[in-house]
Amino acid sequence: MRMVDLIAKKRDGQELTGKEIEWLVQGYTQGTIPDYQMSAWMMAVYLKGMTAQETAFLTAAMAKSGKELDLSAISGVKVDKHSTGGVGDKTTLIVGPIAAACGLCVAKMSGRGLGHTGGTLDKLESIPGLCVTMTQEQFLRQVNEIGLAVMGQSEHIAPADKKMYALRDVTATVSCIPLIASSIMSKKLAAGADCILLDVKVGSGAFMKTQREAEQLARCMVEIGRAHGKQTAALMTNMDVPLGACIGNSLEVEEAVDTLLGKGPADLTHECLMLSARLLMLAGKGSLTECLQQAKSALESGKAFEKFLQMIRAQGGSTAHIEQGEPFLKAAHCIVVRSPKTGYLTHMDAEKIGLAAMLLGAGRETKESVIDHAAGIRLLKKTGQYAEKGEVLAKFYLNDISKQETAQETYLQALCFADHPPVLSPSILGYVNPQGEIELPE
Ligand code: URA
């Protein structure tokens, strides 16, 4: 086989076979196919697309390029949840404990944040002592013992994706549905769960800016999961406004704790209950109404909160501050941001707000940047609310005061005001069921 022929075949819009795709993914991972040929092939995919079968083959080849976790030592239904990334998205910290409290085995590998989106590992690492590095044996033992573990993704999982993603980043081939879907699903397949729930975020703070794009990505990923015998579904959720009121690592953990104690913001609580219910449904725990009831009971009884504490302890973290209801990190400065005008907040550009949080130190500009776990933003007004000129819109928490001015400018640029309240979008925008059918909210 020659790579030049496979590039030409895709350039001419033809379908590649499973053997051809496996050969090129293997060759690229092992270094026998150079970056320039892989770039040309991925650009051809970007322009000509891939059939569902090609996308499934590509995903399988990427999953097989490294280590595939064997979770068979865990007794029970193994579930995983993945978010395509958003601002203020701390749902894993809430959904994981709810699902575990309802009897599921949550074996979750997570990543770090980059740019305007946060990562679960960074949030967890703001808990004193908590460790996200584990051996496979420790990971399996913890899931067997308490039903929940969140660890950092090993570099041995889907190494083809790591190389391909870095190349896509510099060759303008990131925003391509089959390449995004295979990238996400290769890591999910290699992580070994029986049921996979995808949270596809839609809006100004998400990868997918429109519902149409989100539906295409969601269906493509569900189709891949189905082709590999996994119970897979996708919930499409609103990311046109940050989720909850807190952005930034330790602030988000505190908000997750409040939510687990039944005192969280309504949007975050609702979204987490819906995600938990869909995960329970995938695992065969009943109808949507029954699963929603189970998720609510896990929250109301305090069992989900207890699971979160168990996970922190099992991973070496201290629960003292959480149990005493105190913040575990405090930034040196707290600055208030006041409204420049009077009116209704009609739109918040969630990506710009994520960038403002990043400028305060809560996120990474490059992979090498060091996170300030205490930095972040607390939103006091969100889309739909009314503010008087001079009223406090948000609080910034930061250690490095030099960053305040640019962060505030970026924040204020993200906001639109008008005399009339806006029509608000629902937080749940649709669901792609395991058969690949779209269910829209009534
Ligand atoms: N997240 C991934 O893991 N891969 C993509 O291509 C996009 C988002």
Side-chain angles (χ1 to χ4, degrees), residues 94 117 147 169 171 183 201 205 229 241 282 298 310 335 352 363 417 420:
I94 303 156
T117 63
D169 212 16
T171 55
S183 163
K201 302 256 170 240
V241 57
L282 276 184
Q310 280 177 9
I335 309 277
K352 276 218 175 91
F417 290 88
H420 300 287

Side-chain angles (χ1 to χ4, degrees), residues 82 84 161 165 168 174 176 179-181 183-184 187 207:
H82 178 85
T84 56
D161 173 61
Y165 193 88
R168 284 167 57 208
V174 169
C176 167
L179 294 180
I180 297 175
S183 163
I184 293 174
K187 290 172 283 199
F207 250 106

Side-chain angles (χ1 to χ4, degrees), residues 241-263:
V241 57
L243 187 56
C246 292
I247 305 159
N249 299 286
S250 63
L251 290 173
E252 291 193 43
V253 176
E254 284 166 28
E255 190 168 59
V257 168
D258 282 347
T259 308
L260 286 167
L261 289 170
K263 299 182 294 188

Side-chain angles (χ1 to χ4, degrees), residues 236-349:
M236 288 173 283
T237 60
N238 185 7
M239 188 31 73
D240 219 25
V241 57
L243 187 56
C246 292
I247 305 159
N249 299 286
S250 63
L251 290 173
E252 291 193 43
V253 176
E254 284 166 28
E255 190 168 59
V257 168
D258 282 347
T259 308
L260 286 167
L261 289 170
K263 299 182 294 188
D267 62 341
L268 178 63
T269 305
H270 176 65
E271 197 165 309
C272 288
L273 286 172
M274 292 308 286
L275 284 164
S276 305
R278 291 298 185 181
L279 203 48
L280 287 162
M281 268 181 87
L282 276 184
K285 296 279 186 183
S287 67
L288 181 58
T289 314
E290 288 161 349
C291 290
L292 197 51
Q293 194 44 51
Q294 291 172 43
K296 281 183 183 161
S297 305
L299 262 193
E300 286 161 11
S301 63
K303 284 188 180 151
F305 175 63
E306 190 46 44
K307 273 288 164 218
F308 189 54
L309 296 182
Q310 280 177 9
M311 186 193 84
I312 295 173
R313 290 185 199 116
Q315 297 189 207
S318 161
T319 54
H321 290 81
I322 295 179
E323 285 174 287
Q324 284 152 21
E326 289 171 3
F328 35 79
L329 281 177
K330 236 176 153 193
H333 308 281
C334 173
I335 309 277
V336 293
V337 179
R338 296 185 184 276
S339 181
K341 44 184 105 169
T342 293
Y344 287 96
L345 203 47
T346 52
H347 179 65
M348 298 175 93
D349 181 331

